[in-house]
C-alpha cells in the first residue's frame, strides 16, 4: 500500500491514456515538473515539438499558457515545466513546428496536481471541464460519463457541496438516467439545505435549480439579494444583459447599455453590446445618432470603430440621405482616428500563445487595410485600393472570399491580368471557392490565356488538389477517438438498428429535428452526399432524428415526404446519441471510423460546398487509416 502511495505522489498520471501520444508529468520540487512525452509515431522522428501547458492556479478562472520546448530523439521527448507556485491542474497538448497537434483526440492530457488536502470544488471543476467549460484552446471534448464520475468524486469528499449535488442531479436528468418525478423530488430536498448566500457559483446553481422546478420567484429573489450586495459580480452582469435583451425600445436599450459600460468597463461582453448598438442604429440609417452616442462613451474598442467604418462603406442605408462620398469620408475619418490604437488595443487572455497573439494583431491590421481598400474600390479608385491590398497580401496566407474577389477585381480593372489571376489562384489553394468566385476565375483564365473551359477545369482541379492536401494535413488535430453507445435506434417502420453492427464501414450520421431550420437547409446537400456514397460498401450515410418536441405531434413520414428526403432516417427517441456524444446543439454531423468509434464532429452548417468538402475529407482520411 505504501508503494502505491509513493507512485501516486511521485508521478502525476493523465486521467486516461488513449491511442496517439502519451504524456506524464513528474513532480520536481514544490512547483516544478518534468514533462515526459512518447509520441508513439504520431510525429515524424526528429520533429521540433513544443508542449503547450495550460496551467490553472488557485483562485484563477482561466488558465495561463506555459510553453515548453521538448527535446529528445526517436519518439521520446522531455522538457521542464517550472512554475512560481504549485498549480491545481495542467492541461497539455503537443504542437509541431508545422502546426500538427497531438491533443489526445480532443481529450488533451489532463493532470490533477493536487493530491493532498484536496480543496472543495476541486473535482467539481474537473466535472465542468468535461462539460465544455474551458477556453477553446484547451477545451476537452464533452464527456458526460467523465463529468458524472467527477461530480461523484467531489461529493465523496464534500457531501454537502450544493453546487455539485445540483450539477450531478441535473446531468443525470439530462442524460435520462432519472425521470422528471425523481429529479424534482431530489431537487426540492437539496434546496431545503443551508448554503453560503455570498458564494456566487452556489447562488447561481441554486437559482437555476429553483427555475427547473418552476419556482422562478424564489430564484429572482435570491439573485436580487446577491446582486444588490455584489453589484460588480458576474451574476449582476448577466442580469443586466437580460435586461438589455428584453429592452422594450431602442432608447431603453441605449440607456441600459450606457449603465452596462459604466458598471463593467472591461467585460468580455462589451463587444456584443457595441455590435448590437451598431446594428440597432445603422439598420435604420441613424449613423449620426450612433456617432453622438459613441462620442460620449470612453474606451470604445478600435475593433468596434472598424466595424462601423466597414458598414458605412458597404451599406447605403446605414447613413440616411448621405451619398457614397459622404459615407466614405466618414469611414476614412474613423479609420484615421484608430490607426495608432490598432496594436495597443489588443489585450489577449493569458491562455493565448504568442502565435495567437501575433495572429490577432495581424488580423486587426488586415481588417484595417482591407476596409480602406474597400473604400477605394467603392469609389472605383483601383490604384489606391491596390496600395492597401498590397500592404497585407501574402500568397501563402488565407483570406476570406471577398478579399480575393475585390483584390482581383482591382487588378483586372487596371489591366494587371496575370497578377489578378495569381490572386484567384491563391484563393483556389486556400479556401473553398464560392460559385461566384469560381465563375469569375474561369472567365478571366479562359479569356486571358485563350484556353477552353475543359483546360480551365484541369488547371483548377490541380489547384484544388493542393488545397485538399493542406486541409487533410490538419485533420488529425480535430480527430476524436470516443466510444459511443448509440443505444437502440429505430427505422421509421419500427425496426431496431444498432450502429455497432455497421463496424467495418465509415458511418456518417446527421443529427436533426423537424423544428431545426438549419437542419432543413442541409437536407438537399445531404441528399447529394447520400447519392455519392449510396452504392459504396465502405461508407454508410444516414441520419438520426432526435429531440422531437413532445408538445406537438409531428408525423415524420409526412414531414420527410414534404422535405423530399432521400437519405435513410433513424430515430433516437431516448436521446442515447446526444447523451453519450456530448451533443448540445443541432445540426450536428457525426462521423464514425471503421472500428466503430466516433472520430469527427461537424457542428452546424457552413454552406453546401464547405460542408461537402468537410465530410469528403474526413471520410477519405478515415478510409486510409
Amino acid at each position: 500500500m505504501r508503494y502505491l502511495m509513493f507512485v501516486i505522489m511521485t508521478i502525476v498520471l493523465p486521467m486516461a491514456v488513449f491511442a496517439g501520444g502519451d504524456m506524464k508529468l513528474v513532480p520536481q520540487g514544490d512547483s516544478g515538473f518534468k514533462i515526459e512525452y512518447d509520441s508513439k509515431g504520431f510525429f515524424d522522428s526528429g520533429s521540433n515539438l513544443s508542449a503547450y501547458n495550460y496551467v490553472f492556479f488557485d483562485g484563477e478562472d482561466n488558465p495561463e499558457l506555459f510553453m515548453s520546448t521538448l527535446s529528445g530523439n526517436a519518439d521520446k521527448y522531455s522538457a521542464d515545466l517550472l512554475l512560481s507556485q504549485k498549480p491545481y491542474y495542467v492541461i497539455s497538448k503537443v504542437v509541431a513546428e508545422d502546426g500538427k497537434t497531438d491533443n489526445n483526440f480532443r481529450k488533451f492530457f489532463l493532470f490533477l496536481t493536487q493530491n493532498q488536502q484536496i480543496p472543495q470544488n476541486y473535482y467539481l471543476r474537473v466535472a465542468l471541464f468535461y462539460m465544455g467549460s474551458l477556453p477553446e484552446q484547451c477545451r476537452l471534448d464533452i464527456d458526460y460519463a467523465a463529468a458524472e464520475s467527477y461530480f461523484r468524486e467531489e461529493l465523496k469528499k464534500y457531501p454537502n457541496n450544493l453546487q455539485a449535488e445540483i450539477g450531478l442531479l441535473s446531468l443525470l436528468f439530462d442524460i435520462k438516467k432519472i425521470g422528471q418525478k425523481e429529479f424534482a423530488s431530489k431537487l426540492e430536498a437539496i434546496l431545503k439545505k443551508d448554503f453560503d448566500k455570498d458564494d456566487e457559483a452556489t447562488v447561481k446553481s441554486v437559482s437555476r435549480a429553483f427555475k427547473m422546478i418552476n419556482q422562478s420567484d424564489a430564484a429572482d429573489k435570491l439573485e436580487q439579494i446577491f446582486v444588490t450586495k455584489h453589484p460588480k459580480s458576474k451574476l449582476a452582469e448577466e442580469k443586466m444583459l437580460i435586461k438589455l435583451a428584453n429592452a422594450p425600445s431602442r432608447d431603453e436599450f441605449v440607456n441600459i447599455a450606457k449603465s452596462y459600460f459604466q458598471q463593467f468597463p472591461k467585460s468580455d461582453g462589451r463587444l456584443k453590446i457595441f455590435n448590437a448598438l451598431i446594428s440597432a442604429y445603422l439598420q435604420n440609417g441613424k449613423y449620426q445618432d450612433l456617432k453622438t452616442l459613441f462620442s460620449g462613451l470612453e474606451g470604445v474598442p478600435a475593433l468596434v470603430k472598424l466595424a462601423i467604418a466597414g458598414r458605412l462603406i458597404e451599406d447605403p442605408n446605414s447613413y440616411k440621405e448621405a451619398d457614397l462620398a459622404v459615407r466614405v469620408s466618414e469611414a476614412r475619418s474613423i479609420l484615421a482616428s484608430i490607426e495608432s490604437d490598432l496594436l495597443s488595443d489588443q489585450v489577449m487572455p493569458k491562455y493565448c500563445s504568442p502565435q495567437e497573439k501575433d495572429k490577432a494583431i495581424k488580423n486587426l491590421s488586415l481588417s484595417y487595410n482591407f476596409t480602406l481598400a474597400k473604400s477605394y474600390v467603392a469609389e472605383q479608385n483601383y490604384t489606391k485600393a491596390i496600395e492597401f491590398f498590397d500592404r497585407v497580401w501574402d500568397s501563402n496566407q488565407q483570406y476570406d472570399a471577398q478579399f480575393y474577389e475585390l483584390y482581383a477585381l482591382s487588378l483586372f480593372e487596371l489591366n494587371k491580368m496575370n497578377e489578378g489571376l495569381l490572386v484567384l489562384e491563391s484563393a483556389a489553394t486556400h479556401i473553398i471557392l464560392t460559385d461566384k468566385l469560381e465563375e469569375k476565375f474561369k472567365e478571366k483564365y479562359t479569356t486571358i490565356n485563350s484556353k477552353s473551359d475543359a483546360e480551365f477545369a484541369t488547371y483548377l482541379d490541380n489547384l484544388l488538389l493542393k488545397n485538399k492536401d493542406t486541409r487533410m494535413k490538419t485533420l488529425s488535430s480535430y480527430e476524436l477517438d470516443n466510444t459511443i453507445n448509440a443505444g437502440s435506434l429505430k427505422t421509421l417502420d419500427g425496426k431496431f438498428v444498432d450502429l455497432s453492427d455497421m463496424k467495418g464501414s465509415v458511418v456518417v450520421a446527421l443529427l436533426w429535428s423537424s423544428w431545426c431550420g438549419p437542419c432543413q437547409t442541409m437536407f438537399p446537400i445531404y441528399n447529394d452526399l447520400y447519392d455519392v456514397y449510396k452504392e459504396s460498401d465502405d461508407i454508410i450515410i444516414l441520419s438520426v432524428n432526435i429531440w422531437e418536441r413532445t408538445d406537438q405531434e409531428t408525423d415524420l413520414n409526412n414531414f420527410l415526404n414534404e422535405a423530399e428526403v432521400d437519405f435513410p432516417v433513424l430515430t433516437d427517441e431516448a436521446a442515447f446519441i446526444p447523451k453519450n456524444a456530448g451533443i448540445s446543439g443541432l445540426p450536428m454531423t457525426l462521423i464514425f471510423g471503421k472500428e466503430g468509434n466516433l472520430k469527427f464532429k461537424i457542428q452546424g452548417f457552413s454552406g453546401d460546398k464547405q460542408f461537402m468538402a468537410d465530410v469528403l475529407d474526413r471520410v477519405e482520411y478515415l478510409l486510409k487509416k
Side-chain angles (χ1 to χ4, degrees):
M1 183 67 179
R2 281 181 293 182
Y3 171 75
L4 177 61
M5 288 301 295
F6 174 78
V7 172
I8 292 173
M9 292 294 290
T10 56
I11 300 181
V12 185
L13 293 173
M15 293 301 98
V17 178
F18 300 89
D22 185 21
M23 185 182 289
K24 294 178 181 178
L25 209 58
V26 182
Q28 305 281 310
D30 291 336
S31 58
F33 299 89
K34 186 177 184 64
I35 300 169
E36 295 180 352
Y37 176 68
D38 184 349
S39 75
K40 295 186 176 179
F42 187 88
F43 295 102
D44 293 335
S45 180
S47 295
N48 294 322
L49 306 178
S50 295
Y52 283 48
N53 307 294
Y54 299 90
V55 180
F56 285 85
F57 295 109
D58 183 18
E60 296 291 331
D61 290 335
N62 285 311
E64 183 174 351
L65 174 62
F66 292 83
M67 296 173 61
S68 304
T69 301
L70 292 164
S71 59
N73 50 58
D75 288 337
K76 307 290 186 180
Y77 297 85
S78 65
D80 292 324
L81 175 59
L82 304 177
L83 305 170
S84 59
Q85 58 180 301
K86 187 172 183 179
Y88 269 38
Y89 320 96
V90 179
I91 299 172
S92 300
K93 63 185 178 184
V94 178
V95 182
E97 201 170 30
D98 63 1
K100 184 177 181 180
T101 302
D102 179 4
N103 54 30
N104 200 20
F105 298 109
R106 297 294 301 178
K107 298 176 181 73
F108 292 83
F109 300 100
L110 171 61
F111 304 96
L112 277 58
T113 57
Q114 300 287 317
N115 45 37
Q116 290 181 332
Q117 299 178 338
I118 302 297
Q120 184 163 332
N121 295 330
Y122 185 71
Y123 293 121
L124 169 63
R125 288 197 70 179
V126 183
L128 298 177
F129 290 167
Y130 279 108
M131 295 181 72
S133 68
L134 293 163
E136 177 59 34
Q137 287 87 339
C138 57
R139 186 175 299 158
L140 282 65
D141 194 55
I142 292 174
D143 186 336
Y144 290 144
E148 179 184 345
S149 167
Y150 282 106
F151 276 130
R152 294 190 185 281
E153 199 68 33
E154 176 72 27
L155 290 169
K156 282 182 186 177
K157 189 77 176 173
Y158 296 97
N160 296 319
N161 187 329
L162 254 67
Q163 191 183 354
E165 282 190 89
I166 293 170
L168 175 60
L169 193 63
S170 300
L171 174 62
L172 294 177
F173 177 65
D174 288 341
I175 63 177
K176 304 294 189 293
K177 282 194 172 183
I178 60 174
Q180 173 72 42
K181 188 174 181 180
E182 182 181 359
F183 171 68
S185 173
K186 289 186 174 180
L187 203 52
E188 287 174 357
I190 291 173
L191 292 173
K192 292 177 181 177
K193 298 181 180 181
D194 290 331
F195 62 93
D196 182 358
K197 294 180 176 59
D198 286 318
D199 181 77
E200 183 171 9
T202 302
V203 167
K204 289 167 73 172
S205 187
V206 170
S207 173
R208 283 194 297 269
F210 274 127
K211 292 173 183 176
M212 283 187 274
I213 56 173
N214 299 317
Q215 294 188 26
S216 295
D217 290 345
D220 291 341
K221 182 179 179 181
L222 176 65
E223 289 179 356
Q224 192 55 53
I225 292 172
F226 181 86
V227 166
T228 302
K229 196 171 181 181
H230 306 278
K232 299 287 187 180
S233 64
K234 290 181 181 178
L235 181 58
E237 183 179 0
E238 289 174 12
K239 297 288 282 183
M240 190 169 284
L241 288 173
I242 292 171
K243 285 180 65 178
L244 276 165
N246 295 318
S249 66
R250 191 187 68 197
D251 289 344
E252 185 66 19
F253 180 89
V254 170
N255 289 332
I256 299 171
K258 287 179 178 178
S259 298
Y260 176 88
F261 292 136
Q262 291 172 356
Q263 197 165 336
F264 307 101
K266 296 183 179 180
S267 168
D268 292 339
R270 287 190 317 149
L271 279 179
K272 291 181 181 178
I273 308 305
F274 278 123
N275 288 332
L277 286 168
I278 292 171
S279 294
Y281 279 92
L282 297 191
Q283 69 185 4
N284 293 304
K286 296 185 178 295
Y287 165 69
Q288 285 289 10
D289 291 348
L290 179 68
K291 183 178 180 181
T292 301
L293 170 65
F294 277 15
S295 66
L297 295 176
E298 293 184 6
V300 179
L303 199 60
V304 171
K305 295 179 180 179
L306 192 57
I308 297 172
R311 190 77 176 265
L312 285 171
I313 294 164
E314 295 186 340
D315 183 2
N317 299 314
S318 60
Y319 187 178
K320 274 186 179 177
E321 300 174 1
D323 59 16
L324 175 65
V326 172
R327 288 188 287 108
V328 167
S329 175
E330 282 289 331
R332 289 191 190 135
S333 175
I334 292 170
L335 293 170
S337 72
I338 66 173
E339 185 174 12
S340 61
D341 298 331
L342 288 176
L343 297 182
S344 60
D345 196 59
Q346 285 297 95
V347 179
M348 303 288 287
K350 291 181 180 180
Y351 52 77
C352 290
S353 68
Q355 297 94 321
E356 289 169 329
K357 293 175 183 176
D358 289 345
K359 185 177 180 180
I361 292 171
K362 192 173 183 179
N363 284 342
L364 193 59
S365 175
L366 167 62
S367 296
Y368 173 81
N369 284 286
F370 183 30
T371 305
L372 273 171
K374 283 192 288 188
S375 76
Y376 288 106
V377 171
E379 293 179 327
Q380 298 183 9
N381 185 345
Y382 299 110
T383 300
K384 196 68 176 174
I386 287 174
E387 177 184 327
F388 291 99
F389 280 119
D390 284 346
R391 285 186 182 182
V392 292
W393 173 248
D394 179 349
S395 60
N396 295 315
Q397 184 176 335
Q398 178 177 318
Y399 304 88
D400 66 24
Q402 189 188 38
F403 181 95
Y404 291 113
E405 180 185 352
L406 295 183
Y407 189 21
L409 167 69
S410 301
L411 291 165
F412 291 140
E413 288 292 335
L414 295 176
N415 206 34
K416 296 183 177 183
M417 299 301 182
N418 289 327
E419 291 95 326
L421 283 179
L422 287 174
V423 169
L424 295 180
E425 182 177 293
S426 179
T429 58
H430 284 93
I431 65 171
I432 303 297
L433 293 177
T434 63
D435 292 338
K436 179 181 179 182
L437 204 52
E438 185 175 327
E439 192 59 36
K440 175 64 69 175
F441 196 4
K442 181 172 77 171
E443 173 200 336
K444 293 298 183 182
Y445 180 84
T446 53
T447 302
I448 294 168
N449 296 308
S450 300
K451 299 288 187 180
S452 66
D453 287 356
E455 288 173 308
F456 170 75
T458 301
Y459 164 69
L460 181 61
D461 284 345
N462 288 329
L463 296 177
L464 297 181
L465 283 174
K466 293 180 183 177
N467 187 332
K468 182 177 180 178
D469 182 58
T470 301
R471 298 197 312 268
M472 296 293 282
K473 287 178 180 176
T474 66
L475 284 182
S476 62
S477 298
Y478 302 100
E479 187 178 2
L480 309 170
D481 192 37
N482 297 348
T483 302
I484 300 298
N485 175 15
S488 295
L489 307 177
K490 287 197 299 185
T491 62
L492 294 178
D493 56 3
K495 295 178 182 177
F496 287 98
V497 175
D498 192 332
L499 287 186
S500 63
D501 293 335
M502 301 179 190
K503 287 183 180 179
S505 299
V506 172
V507 178
V508 182
L510 170 66
L511 306 188
W512 64 277
S513 189
S514 63
W515 48 263
C516 168
C519 300
Q520 296 176 48
T521 303
M522 289 183 67
F523 286 171
I525 192 64
Y526 209 70
N527 278 336
D528 292 343
L529 183 68
Y530 174 65
D531 287 340
V532 170
Y533 289 126
K534 64 183 177 182
E535 303 298 331
S536 173
D537 294 327
D538 299 316
I539 302 106
I540 297 173
I541 306 295
L542 53 84
S543 72
V544 182
N545 175 262
I546 63 171
W547 293 337
E548 277 302 332
R549 290 176 175 165
T550 57
D551 59 347
Q552 60 184 31
E553 289 201 12
T554 302
D555 188 320
L556 282 182
N557 283 300
N558 289 339
F559 173 82
L560 293 168
N561 286 335
E562 290 180 11
E564 299 182 350
V565 165
D566 299 326
F567 49 83
V569 176
L570 304 175
T571 62
D572 181 8
E573 295 172 0
F576 274 110
I577 291 181
K579 173 179 69 177
N580 289 301
I583 306 302
S584 57
L586 295 177
M588 174 71 77
T589 306
L590 306 182
I591 304 179
F592 297 83
K594 289 179 285 186
E595 79 292 345
N597 284 1
L598 176 61
K599 289 294 188 176
F600 293 103
K601 295 179 182 178
I602 302 175
Q603 174 73 57
F605 180 57
S606 53
D608 289 2
K609 295 181 77 172
Q610 184 67 56
F611 175 76
M612 184 68 85
D614 286 343
V615 175
L616 295 179
D617 286 351
R618 286 156 176 76
V619 168
E620 182 178 334
Y621 174 87
L622 293 174
L623 288 175
K624 288 180 177 178
K625 294 194 75 172

